[in-house]
Amino acid sequence: MPEPLAGVPVLLGVFAHPDDEQFGTAGALLACAERGVAVHILCATRGDAGEISDPALATPETLAAVREGELRVACGLLGFAEPVFLDYKDGKLAEVEPDRLVHQVAAAIRRLRPRVVLTFDANGAYGHPDHIAIHRATVAAFAAAADPAFAPELGAPHRSDKLYATAYPRALFVQIDTDLAAHGLPALAFGDVQTIAAEEIGTADERVTTAVPVRHLWERRWASLIAHRTQYGAGHPFLALPEAVMRSWLATDVFVRLHPAPAPGAVLPDEADLWAGLPLPG
Ligand SMILES: [Zn+2]
C-alpha cells in the first residue's frame, strides 16, 4: 500500500470492483485530487467475473490481471495514488467472513488516515451483493478504526471526519433507459446481480446531501472511464450514444453523507463538495 505523504490530506474510496470508482463518482474524486487531496482507492476484488468487451483484450483466466491494470491506468489519468487490491474473488464478497473484511478496511483507514471515506450505499446501488458487502464492511471499519479497543496491532486509532455513500438518483436510472431506448439500444441489464426490488434501485432524491458540479472535468473522467477497456469497450451501449447524452448524465456527481448525518430539517443538498468544511493544503 502506498505510504501517505506527511501533511497531504487523504480521501479513501472503498469499492468492490475496478471501475466502481467511475460512474457518478470519478468527477467528484477528481475535483478533490485537483485541489491537492491524495485520493486512494481500495478495491476488494480484481473484477475477475466481469464482462470482456473484446476477446482480444482478455480471457476469463487473464481478466483479473487485465482489470487490475485498467484501474491502475484510470487512477493515473485522474492523478490518484496507486490503487490497492484485496485478494477476493469477484462475486464472492458476501461470503467473506465480515470481521475479516472490516479488519482489512480498518487497517487501510489507520494506515492512510483519511479525513473522508467513501463507499457504496446500503443497497449497493442496484443490489449487487459485492457492493452491499463492501458498504457494510466500510461503515463498520469507519467506526472501528476510531475505537482504541479495536485491533491495536493496526496502529493508532483514527477518526475520519466524514463518510459518504455514492448515490445514483432513481431518476437517472430511468433517464438512462429512456435515452438508450430513444437510440434503439437495449435497456441496462442489472437483473443478474439485483437482489432488491426494482423500486429500491438507486437513491431517493431527498437523501442526497452533496451535489458536486463536475461538467468541467468531462475530458479527464471520460479518458479514465474508457481506460476500463474490458468494461467500456466499443460494444458497450453507452459508447453508441452521442457524447452529449453521457455528458448530461454525468454533469453532477451526487452523494449521501452518512457521517455526520445532516441536521434534522436541513435543506438538502447542503454542500457541493466532498471536501466541504475541511482544510486544503497550502
Ligand atoms: Zn461493482
Side-chain angles (χ1 to χ4, degrees):
M1 182 174 292
E3 289 289 334
L5 292 171
V8 177
V10 173
L11 183 154
L12 174 63
V14 186
F15 298 109
H17 313 111
D19 88 350
D20 283 347
E21 82 289 355
Q22 284 294 328
F23 205 87
T25 308
L29 298 180
L30 175 56
C32 288
E34 286 204 326
R35 287 176 299 151
V37 174
V39 177
H40 289 254
I41 303 292
L42 178 66
C43 191
T45 83
R46 289 178 170 77
D48 49 282
E51 305 281 321
I52 301 176
S53 66
D54 175 350
L57 295 172
T59 66
E61 290 70 36
T62 65
L63 185 59
V66 171
R67 292 194 69 185
E68 176 179 340
E70 289 174 346
L71 181 55
R72 290 186 187 283
V73 171
C75 286
L77 289 167
L78 293 164
F80 298 175
E82 281 282 321
V84 172
F85 295 84
L86 304 178
D87 283 323
Y88 294 111
K89 297 290 282 181
D90 188 354
K92 303 289 187 191
L93 219 46
E95 299 170 21
V96 175
E97 170 59 41
D99 287 350
R100 187 174 166 207
L101 203 49
V102 171
H103 191 273
Q104 288 176 304
V105 177
I109 292 173
R110 286 210 181 149
R111 183 176 174 88
L112 294 168
R113 311 189 81 73
R115 297 204 71 161
V116 174
V117 178
L118 172 75
T119 189
F120 279 103
D121 206 354
N123 67 358
Y126 48 90
H128 194 307
D130 285 352
H131 296 177
I132 294 170
I134 204 68
H135 162 85
R136 289 177 179 164
T138 306
V139 170
F142 182 86
D147 179 357
F150 178 83
E153 74 278 11
L154 296 179
H158 176 71
R159 187 177 300 280
S160 300
D161 297 74
K162 302 206 272 185
L163 175 63
Y164 285 98
T166 56
Y168 305 90
R170 288 185 180 147
L172 178 60
F173 282 92
V174 174
Q175 186 64 48
I176 288 171
D177 277 346
T178 302
D179 287 336
L180 289 169
H183 291 84
L185 295 161
L188 289 182
F190 287 122
D192 56 339
V193 289
Q194 186 185 320
T195 56
I196 57 176
E199 61 271 20
E200 293 171 8
I201 288 179
T203 307
D205 279 344
E206 60 268 23
R207 292 185 59 230
V208 169
T209 59
T210 311
V212 185
V214 291
R215 199 183 285 273
H216 60 294
L217 299 169
W218 171 258
E219 275 75 19
R220 282 180 74 190
R221 83 177 300 175
W222 176 251
S224 74
L225 180 84
I226 60 175
H228 292 279
R229 294 172 67 200
T230 57
Q231 306 306 298
Y232 291 93
H236 196 289
F238 289 179
L239 277 76
L241 292 165
E243 190 180 300
V245 174
M246 279 200 77
R247 277 183 184 249
S248 73
W249 299 345
L250 299 175
T252 308
D253 287 351
V254 300
F255 302 88
V256 176
R257 193 178 61 250
L258 301 175
H259 177 87
V267 176
L268 300 179
D270 61 5
E271 57 183 10
D273 180 12
L274 293 170
W275 212 259
L278 300 177
L280 284 164

